[in-house]
Amino acid sequence: MENMAEEELLSLEKEEVEVAQVQVPTPAPDSARVPAPAPDSALDSAPTPASAPAPAPALAQAPALSPSLASAPEEAESKRHFSIQRQLADLEKLAFVTEGDFDSANSLNSDNLDAGNKQACPLCPKEKFRACNSHKLRRHLQNLHWKVSVEFEGYRMCICHLPCRPVKPNIIGEQISSKMGAHYHCIICSATITRRTDMLGHVRRHVNKGETESRYTAASTAKPSNEILKESDTDVQVCPNYSIPQKTDSYFNPKMKLNRQLIFCTLAALAEERKPLECLDAFGATGIMGLQWAKHLGNAVKVTINDLNENSVTLIQENCHLNKLKVVMDSKEKEKNDDILEEGEENLGNIKVTKMDANVLMHLRSFDFIHLDPFGTSVNYLDSAFRNIRNLGIVSVTSTDISSLYAKAQHVARRHYGCNIVRTEYYKELAARIVVAAVARAAARCNKGIEVLFAVALEHFVLVVVRVLRGPTSADETAKKIQYLIHCQWCEERIFQKDGNMVEENPYRQLPCNCHGSMPGKTAIELGPLWSSSLFNTGFLKRMLFESLHHGLDDIQTLIKTLIFESECTPQKENGVVIKTTDDTTTDNYIAQGKRKSNEMITTLAKKQKTDVSTEHPPFYYNIHRHSIKGMNMPKLKKFLCYLSQAGFRVSRTHFDPMGVRTDAPLMQFKSILLKYSTPTYTGGQSESHGQSASDDTVTDRVEMSVNDKAEASGCRRW
């Protein structure tokens, strides 16, 4: 009997629903312009068309859900405001949505809209816009709501006039006006913005912060899968948007491949001196750098990868298993992981993964090799890095705050590095010397000195690699190499200030140029403090080149060869360089791990460094285009290097600038030789051979004029 009674009730409910679908839909009340929830029984028993899917139960609980979002299967869980639509037709369908009748709205087309039924605007109150015919409603929606909408990723945030936004009442005389203002609903957050320009700026701020997904998207939506990349025979799993720091926790920049290969060659060269090495990648992110160390150097290194972000630590562990490397967390977890190791994991190497602040980790443990690559400046971690670094260890620092180092944000450079800089033609080497000076000061505070192995400044980063020398004597020698630079802003001549504590009456005398005497006012500026000594170690660079050939790193061999010629300040030869696995300046002075240098050895090393000052490469470089003469054709760069070398000057190319020339020649001699071998530019019917037939007396006169006449020489300056 009870079953029969239930069947009769179900049949009655079905008949009522069918009658409701036949009736013409009427507009929703003004107090609720959104679909009202239907009874559970009606939802369970209502028939659904074969072409449209059955409405989900979540739709009845979300009255603000628009039918266009409900119709898409991938967005069925979304709960955005119904003023946010993809097409104008979806906005028109809102006027025909009755209480709980979503399927009828989805089945409407343009023929149904032109049926002549009067409908009210779903985004305006009844007092502002009365019900009208479909063609007037379409024109109203298009002109008032759709044209002034804000577009974002295929959606249109239309302007809404409903009482969604609380507005303070205005008292006019004795009457109170409760005027409702127009506003927009943000697709990302729950904010309501009144003006369109403010809405555009609001969405732009969301994009800059990396917030492009709606907060109302259900958590059950499928998460995008991670991508697997391969670099130097090492597989690494990266998160979506891995190259955008604002959108991911584990940042991976493919453009930093050159940086990673340089650091790998540095560690490989250090591993030839002593084994095993305890290495630290303080900011692991995806762990790609530490994985390359452990996979290619094997038992010669004991790698520790650290990161403070929990998601990054999990990703590093997954990448270790992906490359069949053993992960060691601590003594307790080590025993657990030994039982679940896959085949081949233990043979390739071990990696210790830690989750803590980099400063804390470097204070707690000692390392032979530390690499710092934070997002931005690294000055906050230098003191901790030099606190426990072992003697003759190496610290590599990658700085990506190029806006401050390249003199685009001078106030930031003064705040972070305590350095005063301006934009010069040698700004990249200036940036490298700023970072080395900051590293040297941090080492000196810990009673340690440094020896710069190499410093590289490219488009995206500045990389500085130094060797640590313990002892107050080495610290004092290092501190003496931090000096100020006098830079002439008129001709761009430069020179380091002389040592001494006495105040000089006229510091312009130190400059080789005479711009201060021929020009009114102040012409020079003091830059620094900067590192004034050498930026390259020739012997270590040759060992790095050998390691790059041994491990098949072809991408950086050209760069290392350029660094070798730059360190020797000799013109680059086409037959390459002579590679030596050992070097007298390094292996004779560096001893095995665990032993300290005696005082006699430190004294001998200091004397040798003093004698090597004369053989150091000259600081800074000149850009050949910067000092070209108007109306003259410059010689080719290779020929110009030969001309300078024939004149008795040391000369080489530089990696800092493809058109830069590193030489010890003063700027006057540089310009005179450039002018001597430049040919006049002729226009019209004159040929180039006619220009080359100029007499030697004319060229000599022009050289003398360029050297003696400062006013004419200053006219060659280009801004």
Side-chain angles (χ1 to χ4, degrees):
M1 296 294 292
E2 293 178 356
N3 295 335
M4 295 177 62
E6 289 179 359
E7 292 177 358
E8 292 178 0
L9 289 174
L10 290 175
S11 61
L12 290 174
E13 289 176 356
K14 291 180 180 179
E15 292 177 0
E16 291 177 0
V17 172
E18 291 176 356
V19 172
Q21 291 179 353
V22 173
Q23 295 177 356
V24 178
T26 56
D30 298 333
S31 60
R33 285 292 172 187
V34 294
D40 296 338
S41 61
L43 287 173
D44 295 337
S45 60
T48 56
S51 60
L59 299 178
Q61 300 175 3
L65 179 63
S66 61
S68 64
L69 298 177
S71 60
E74 66 274 7
E75 301 177 46
E77 299 293 337
S78 184
K79 299 180 181 179
R80 300 185 181 95
H81 193 266
F82 60 89
S83 63
I84 304 172
Q85 300 293 335
R86 285 188 180 271
Q87 298 178 357
L88 179 60
D90 299 330
L91 190 62
E92 295 174 2
K93 293 176 183 179
L94 290 176
F96 293 87
V97 177
T98 58
E99 298 183 1
D101 193 4
F102 290 98
D103 296 329
S104 61
N106 291 332
S107 61
L108 289 174
N109 50 27
S110 59
D111 298 335
N112 301 121
L113 294 177
D114 295 333
N117 300 321
K118 291 187 177 182
Q119 299 294 336
C121 177
L123 299 178
C124 294
K126 185 178 180 181
E127 295 80 10
K128 184 171 182 178
F129 185 80
R130 296 182 180 180
C132 62
N133 294 330
S134 59
H135 65 280
K136 291 184 178 180
L137 177 61
R138 183 185 295 110
R139 187 167 60 248
H140 165 79
L141 292 174
Q142 183 175 5
N143 296 334
L144 184 64
H145 298 281
W146 192 258
K147 280 188 176 181
V148 294
S149 60
V150 177
E151 187 175 2
F152 177 75
E153 293 187 356
Y155 285 94
R156 291 290 190 96
M157 292 172 275
C158 302
I159 192 168
C160 177
H161 294 272
L162 296 178
C164 309
R165 179 184 176 89
V167 181
K168 294 182 179 180
N170 297 327
I171 301 178
I172 304 175
E174 296 180 356
Q175 297 180 354
I176 298 177
S177 63
S178 59
K179 182 180 179 181
M180 295 298 175
H183 56 275
Y184 295 88
H185 291 268
C186 181
I187 191 174
I188 301 174
C189 64
S190 58
T192 54
I193 311 297
T194 54
R195 300 178 60 183
R196 186 175 185 274
T197 54
D198 296 341
M199 189 66 199
L200 291 172
H202 178 79
V203 175
R204 194 180 300 113
R205 283 190 293 272
H206 276 303
V207 175
N208 293 338
K209 293 180 181 179
E211 301 172 356
T212 56
E213 296 182 0
S214 175
R215 297 179 183 177
Y216 299 104
T217 305
S220 61
T221 55
K223 225 178 174 182
S225 58
N226 294 340
E227 184 180 354
I228 297 179
L229 303 179
K230 191 168 186 176
E231 180 181 299
S232 300
D233 296 332
T234 304
D235 297 327
V236 57
Q237 187 178 185
V238 296
C239 299
N241 299 323
Y242 56 87
S243 60
I244 305 175
Q246 294 85 358
K247 294 186 179 182
T248 181
D249 295 330
S250 300
Y251 179 57
F252 177 79
N253 190 359
K255 297 180 181 179
M256 298 290 283
K257 179 181 178 180
L258 201 65
N259 176 276
R260 289 187 282 268
Q261 291 185 352
L262 283 172
I263 296 168
F264 175 81
C265 291
T266 302
L267 183 59
L270 180 63
E272 295 297 326
E273 299 178 9
R274 56 184 188 269
K275 300 176 183 179
L277 297 174
E278 293 192 17
C279 313
L280 171 65
D281 183 9
F283 303 91
T286 59
I288 176 64
M289 191 172 295
L291 293 172
Q292 292 176 354
W293 299 348
K295 191 169 184 178
H296 297 286
L297 298 180
N299 296 327
V301 293
K302 296 180 179 179
V303 181
T304 301
I305 305 178
N306 175 71
D307 203 290
L308 189 59
N309 189 282
E310 187 174 357
N311 296 332
S312 297
V313 173
T314 305
L315 188 62
I316 292 171
Q317 297 176 13
E318 295 177 357
N319 289 331
C320 290
H321 294 297
L322 184 64
N323 290 275
K324 298 186 181 302
L325 294 171
K326 180 181 176 182
V327 181
V328 180
M329 295 295 294
D330 52 34
S331 58
K332 295 181 180 179
E333 296 186 7
K334 182 178 179 181
E335 298 176 358
K336 298 179 181 179
N337 293 335
D338 289 342
D339 301 333
I340 58 175
L341 289 177
E342 297 180 2
E343 295 182 0
E345 283 189 353
E346 193 172 353
N347 297 330
L348 291 180
N350 301 340
I351 292 182
K352 186 172 184 180
V353 182
T354 58
K355 178 184 175 297
M356 63 176 66
D357 186 81
N359 285 323
V360 177
L361 178 61
M362 289 184 290
H363 273 291
L364 293 176
R365 291 180 53 191
S366 299
F367 294 96
D368 299 291
F369 183 87
I370 295 177
H371 175 62
L372 301 176
D373 187 8
F375 186 73
T377 181
S378 56
V379 293
N380 300 326
Y381 306 95
L382 294 178
D383 289 333
S384 304
F386 285 98
R387 181 64 60 185
N388 285 331
I389 186 70
R390 292 194 177 99
N391 190 27
L392 303 179
I394 290 180
V395 175
S396 64
V397 178
T398 300
S399 299
T400 55
D401 54 334
I402 57 176
S403 60
S404 60
L405 292 174
Y406 290 173
K408 295 180 181 179
Q410 301 176 8
H411 61 287
V412 181
R414 189 178 296 108
R415 185 194 330 136
H416 287 166
Y417 301 95
C419 183
N420 178 38
I421 57 174
V422 294
R423 185 80 170 190
T424 61
E425 65 173 327
Y426 50 92
Y427 66 95
K428 286 190 176 181
E429 185 171 344
L430 200 65
R433 292 184 180 273
I434 290 172
V435 178
V436 176
V439 171
R441 288 195 298 269
R445 285 192 292 269
C446 300
N447 284 336
K448 296 181 179 69
I450 64 168
E451 177 191 0
V452 182
L453 299 180
F454 66 91
V456 176
L458 298 178
E459 182 180 0
H460 304 287
F461 64 91
V462 176
L463 174 63
V464 170
V465 178
V466 300
R467 188 188 290 273
V468 180
L469 306 174
R470 278 192 173 184
T473 305
S474 300
D476 293 339
E477 292 294 329
T478 298
K480 290 179 182 178
K481 298 178 182 178
I482 301 176
Q483 299 177 3
Y484 285 89
L485 182 74
I486 301 177
H487 170 79
C488 180
Q489 290 187 301
W490 190 258
C491 67
E492 298 223 13
E493 184 62 281
R494 74 297 302 243
I495 191 171
F496 282 104
Q497 281 188 355
K498 297 179 181 179
D499 296 334
N501 298 327
M502 303 303 293
V503 178
E504 191 170 354
E505 182 180 358
N506 185 11
Y508 292 100
R509 294 178 181 176
Q510 299 183 20
L511 285 169
C513 65
N514 193 26
C515 295
H516 180 66
S518 59
M519 304 292 173
K522 299 179 179 180
T523 59
I525 188 173
E526 189 180 66
L527 305 180
L530 306 172
W531 178 258
S532 61
S533 185
S534 175
L535 292 178
F536 310 101
N537 186 305
T538 307
F540 194 84
L541 288 173
K542 289 181 179 179
R543 292 162 57 193
M544 287 179 57
L545 181 59
F546 175 79
E547 295 297 334
S548 65
L549 294 172
H550 177 69
H551 293 280
L553 303 178
D554 300 332
D555 297 338
I556 62 168
Q557 293 176 11
T558 304
L559 176 59
I560 296 179
K561 290 178 183 178
T562 305
L563 294 178
I564 292 174
F565 288 115
E566 189 174 0
S567 64
E568 297 175 345
C569 199
T570 56
Q572 190 166 355
K573 301 177 183 179
E574 296 182 358
N575 56 358
V577 296
V578 179
I579 303 171
K580 295 181 181 180
T581 57
T582 59
D583 183 67
D584 297 338
T585 60
T586 55
T587 54
D588 293 345
N589 298 323
Y590 304 143
I591 57 177
Q593 179 186 7
K595 299 180 181 180
R596 293 192 175 184
K597 297 169 95 177
S598 61
N599 294 331
E600 296 180 358
M601 188 173 293
I602 294 177
T603 306
T604 306
L605 179 60
K607 290 181 179 179
K608 192 170 185 178
Q609 288 178 350
K610 288 182 179 179
T611 58
D612 292 343
V613 171
S614 59
T615 61
E616 290 180 357
H617 63 83
F620 303 112
Y621 54 89
Y622 300 105
N623 187 293
I624 188 173
H625 284 297
R626 181 83 169 182
H627 301 284
S628 62
I629 296 92
K630 186 176 181 180
M632 304 288 287
N633 289 329
M634 299 183 305
K636 297 294 183 180
L637 184 58
K638 291 184 179 179
K639 292 184 178 180
F640 182 68
L641 295 178
C642 295
Y643 297 151
L644 282 174
S645 180
Q646 292 172 4
F649 298 108
R650 299 177 62 193
V651 61
S652 70
R653 300 187 67 172
T654 176
H655 81 280
F656 292 110
D657 190 351
M659 298 304 297
V661 177
R662 185 180 296 278
T663 178
D664 57 350
L667 183 59
M668 290 187 196
Q669 300 294 330
F670 183 89
K671 285 185 176 181
S672 64
I673 296 176
L674 181 62
L675 179 61
K676 180 179 180 180
Y677 293 99
S678 298
T679 57
T681 302
Y682 290 93
T683 58
Q686 297 178 349
S687 62
E688 185 179 359
S689 60
H690 178 70
Q692 294 178 352
S693 63
S695 62
D696 296 337
D697 297 336
T698 306
V699 175
T700 306
D701 295 340
R702 299 196 63 171
V703 170
E704 293 178 356
M705 291 174 61
S706 64
V707 174
N708 299 327
D709 193 355
K710 290 299 175 181
E712 182 179 352
S714 61
C716 302
R717 181 170 177 263
R718 293 183 180 179
W719 289 98

